[in-house]
Each structure stands twice: as C-alpha cells, then as structure tokens.
Amino acid sequence: MTILQAILLGLVQGLTEFLPVSSSGHLVLVQKLLGVNPETDFMLFSVLLHFGTLLAVVIAFWPDIKQLFLEFFRWIGDGFKIKNQPYRRFIVMLLITVVPMFAILPVKSFLEEAMGSTLIVGIMLLVTAALLLFSERGAHGRKTERDATWLDALIVGVMQCFAVLPGLSRSGTTMVGGLLRGFSREFAVRFAFIMSLPVILGANILEVGDAIAATPAVPTPVYIYVIGVLVALVSGLAAIKMVKFVAKRGNFRPFVVYCTLIGIVTIVVSFVVGS
C-alpha cells in the first residue's frame, strides 16, 4: 500500500462514514477505481480506519458519551430504575437499536456480496437521495431523549439494518428514521451518530482476528497505517461538523444532489463497462 492509497482510503472512510452518502457504496467504487478491495486486500488497514472514525464520534460527542458512561453506572447502582432520567432513557434507546442488528448479522455477508455491484450501488445511492429528500417533511419534530419512545428507537434501529446494503447510507437512514419519528434535528443527528458506536466497535472487534491473520508476509509500514487513521479521524470530524450544520438548517439538498449525480453516473458506468 502506498501513502497516496492510504490517504485516499482514509478520506473515503472518514467522509463517507458520516456524510449521508454511503461509505460502503463509495468503497465499492474505490475498489473498482483502484483495482483493490480495501476490506480484503487491506483488511487490517480497513479495521484501523473504522477505529479512526469511531474515535471521531467519541471526540465530537464527548460530553454526551461521558454523561452516558457515568449515568450507566448510576443506573446499575439504582437497580436499573429509569427514574425519568434523560440519559438513562438514552441508554435504553441505544440498547434497543442494537437488537434488530442480530437479525441481520447472519445474512450480512451474503447481502453485501450479492448487492456489491456498481449497478446496485448506483440504485441504492438514488434511494438514499430520495430518503433524504423525503425526510425534510419530518424535520420539524421536537422529541429528544426526554420523551422519545422505545418504539421510536426500535424503528430507527430497523432503519439501520437496511444500511448493510452498499449504497444506502447508514447515517442517512438513521437520521431520516429519527426525523420521521419526530426527533428534533439536533437529537436526530446525535442519536444517529452515537448509536453507531456499538455497531462499529462490535463489528471491528469481530474482524480484528481475521484482519491480523490476513496481514501479508511483507507488512505495510506502520507509518502508513498511522497516516491513514489520522486522515480518517480528521476527515471524520469535518464530516460530522458538516452534517450538524446541514441538519440544523433542515436542508439535505446538497447531499440529495450529490447522491443523485453519483448514483446516475455509477449506473451509466455499470452499463458501459459492466458491474
């Protein structure tokens, strides 16, 4: 792996993991462009990039995460009583969102392989654009962790399951799910990003062993790994800040236009050169 590849893959991971434009879809496109598959050819590097973006979420939402961590132990000490504490409700909502993922895990690899063509990626990018455009109708809610329901959390968790399809944005679908359930714009963003932490962390912990085993005989220099992770971290923080700004305005049109254009180009290219 070259430094240029590390920087490019770090940028793709950091920006597309959080911008509602689908990281998996863009990785498929990068695979076609570079003639490599980051998740197999550079498996350990791919895992490290995900940890870089995970760290970006922790930094961006540290006040919330710190409070959730502290409240978790207070919750245990109180015998798991909610006591109408907002952050305890937040914790329960996060746990609920993880439940639907157990149903999708057994078929996740099959879905990613079956749907990994550029044609399908293009179609799913158009679906992402449509969801973002439709979400603007529900961008005036006021629910937060104080009054969102368990059903709201479950529905957003189910929306997250659909994001295993390459081209369908995880951050986009979860934010859309929250907005359509009446979440405030600010809470929809916070909830979408913070709920990604257990999913990203769990998935990468499961892949660490295979990633280490797949390390080539001539390993990539450590400094290249460091460069890629730092690029993913910094670009991830920039992407989160951008999403916060756009969501606050309640206008996802820039991402709608981007996903539409990239989706159309991807579909055309898939017919011209094959998927």
Side-chain angles (χ1 to χ4, degrees):
M1 181 192 302
T2 66
I3 293 179
L4 183 59
Q5 286 176 325
I7 293 174
L8 176 60
L9 293 173
L11 279 173
V12 171
Q13 178 63 38
L15 293 175
T16 63
E17 180 72 27
F18 301 125
L19 297 180
V21 296
S22 177
S23 60
S24 59
H26 280 73
L27 284 175
V28 171
L29 298 179
V30 169
Q31 173 185 341
K32 300 294 183 181
L33 178 65
L34 299 180
V36 298
N37 186 342
E39 295 187 349
T40 56
D41 298 343
F42 307 134
M43 191 173 182
L44 179 59
F45 183 64
S46 179
V47 170
L48 292 174
L49 290 184
H50 279 85
F51 278 118
T53 51
L54 183 146
L55 185 57
V57 176
V58 172
I59 293 172
F61 296 95
W62 176 244
D64 282 307
I65 292 170
K66 178 183 177 181
Q67 190 61 39
L68 286 167
F69 183 78
L70 295 174
E71 198 60 49
F72 177 74
F73 289 102
R74 296 187 187 120
W75 185 40
I76 294 175
D78 283 342
F80 295 100
K81 295 177 182 178
I82 302 296
K83 293 184 176 180
N84 203 32
Q85 294 289 330
Y87 276 94
R88 295 185 189 183
R89 289 177 54 82
F90 202 152
I91 291 169
V92 175
M93 291 178 68
L94 292 174
L95 293 174
I96 290 173
T97 63
V98 175
V99 174
M101 292 302 297
F102 287 102
I104 204 71
L105 282 176
V107 295
K108 180 176 181 290
S109 297
F110 169 77
L111 288 173
E112 289 178 338
E113 182 178 351
M115 306 292 282
S117 72
T118 50
L119 174 61
I120 297 301
V121 167
I123 293 172
M124 289 298 104
L125 283 168
L126 294 182
V127 173
T128 295
L131 285 172
L132 292 172
L133 185 61
F134 182 68
S135 73
E136 293 182 8
R137 296 185 177 184
H140 305 288
R142 296 184 177 180
K143 288 182 182 178
T144 66
E145 61 268 32
R146 294 180 178 276
D147 51 5
T149 68
W150 308 148
L151 179 60
D152 294 332
L154 181 62
I155 290 175
V156 176
V158 170
M159 294 286 285
Q160 180 171 240
C161 291
F162 289 103
V164 302
L165 301 175
L168 195 58
S169 167
R170 192 210 63 81
S171 62
T173 55
T174 51
M175 281 191 292
V176 167
L179 289 171
L180 294 179
R181 292 299 300 177
F183 288 7
S184 70
R185 296 170 186 169
E186 185 269 341
F187 182 60
V189 173
R190 276 200 298 138
F191 191 70
F193 284 121
I194 293 175
M195 70 179 279
S196 73
L197 290 176
V199 175
I200 295 174
L201 181 61
N204 282 277
I205 287 175
L206 292 175
E207 292 179 358
V208 165
D210 291 337
I212 294 174
T215 302
V218 181
T220 300
V222 173
Y223 73 88
I224 291 184
Y225 284 150
V226 172
I227 290 172
V229 171
L230 287 176
V231 170
L233 170 60
V234 174
S235 59
L237 286 170
I240 292 172
K241 187 173 183 179
M242 187 184 303
V243 171
K244 284 182 176 180
F245 174 76
V246 173
K248 186 175 182 179
R249 296 177 60 193
N251 185 347
F252 290 103
R253 298 297 172 86
F255 300 125
V256 171
V257 172
Y258 176 82
C259 288
T260 300
L261 291 176
I262 295 296
I264 291 172
V265 170
T266 302
I267 290 172
V268 171
V269 170
S270 71
F271 282 114
V272 173
V273 301
S275 61

